[in-house]
Amino acid sequence: MSYTVTAWESPADTPPPADLAQADALLAQQRRAPPLAAPNPRFLALGAALYERYPPSGDDPIALDVWLDGSEEGDTPARVNTFGLLTDSAAFEAAHLHAVAQARQQGLNLYDPQSGEHFLADGRTLRPGQPPSAPSALEDDLWAARSEERRVG
């Protein structure tokens, strides 16, 4: 089973979204925008960072297979990059948190359509029905997931 997320960059002339409605509107605007002349370098850097931690398994029977189809590498001229994670992977939770952390490090936002959450580049998380979270909230989750992954692996 798969789980998708969408990396997107806020337009340079726009302040970060203050709430979920603004984030949804900015994402919709980016989806409608014409494609770029070349892939967004931030998407490519995100893909490289994702593969550094969780490389595609290929023929390696020991590797953790977490990515769905290769779209996470970011080689697209679109203004958004939607990619999938495999939910049946032992590293799904940790890979999801890693994607959030790496997107933020690249100055990208990450939208999770399953939960309706926007993980913003500035460190805030916008969740349906909740006020924006503090920038440090994800780090505790990330470290917990890494610890769990080490115990399992």
Side-chain angles (χ1 to χ4, degrees):
M1 192 166 176
S2 64
Y3 191 100
T4 61
V5 292
T6 299
W8 60 283
E9 187 173 11
S10 294
D13 59 347
T14 306
D19 59 31
L20 204 55
Q22 286 181 0
D24 287 342
L26 282 173
L27 175 56
Q29 175 186 336
Q30 291 296 79
R31 287 185 194 276
R32 289 189 306 269
L36 302 167
N40 183 331
R42 291 179 190 232
F43 291 165
L44 295 171
L46 171 60
L50 296 177
Y51 283 173
E52 184 177 326
R53 174 92 178 175
Y54 297 103
S57 64
D59 293 331
D60 183 355
I62 297 174
L64 288 174
D65 202 4
V66 297
W67 310 116
L68 181 61
D69 63 7
S71 56
E72 64 283 341
E73 71 186 25
D75 190 13
T76 176
R79 298 200 182 241
V80 302
N81 185 34
T82 299
F83 58 93
L85 296 98
L86 297 170
T87 57
D88 58 354
S89 170
F92 167 73
E93 291 291 332
H96 182 271
L97 289 170
H98 182 66
V100 172
Q102 293 305 313
R104 286 177 167 168
Q105 285 188 2
Q106 297 305 323
L108 297 168
N109 307 301
L110 196 76
Y111 173 60
D112 182 332
Q114 288 82 197
S115 67
E117 296 170 306
H118 284 272
F119 300 95
L120 301 180
D122 67 8
R124 293 178 301 131
T125 300
L126 303 176
R127 292 182 172 96
Q130 297 182 18
S133 72
S136 62
L138 179 72
E139 293 305 315
D140 293 340
D141 292 342
L142 182 60
W143 286 110
R146 285 183 179 164
S147 297
E148 177 64 24
E149 184 180 50
R150 285 187 194 111
R151 282 196 305 254
V152 171

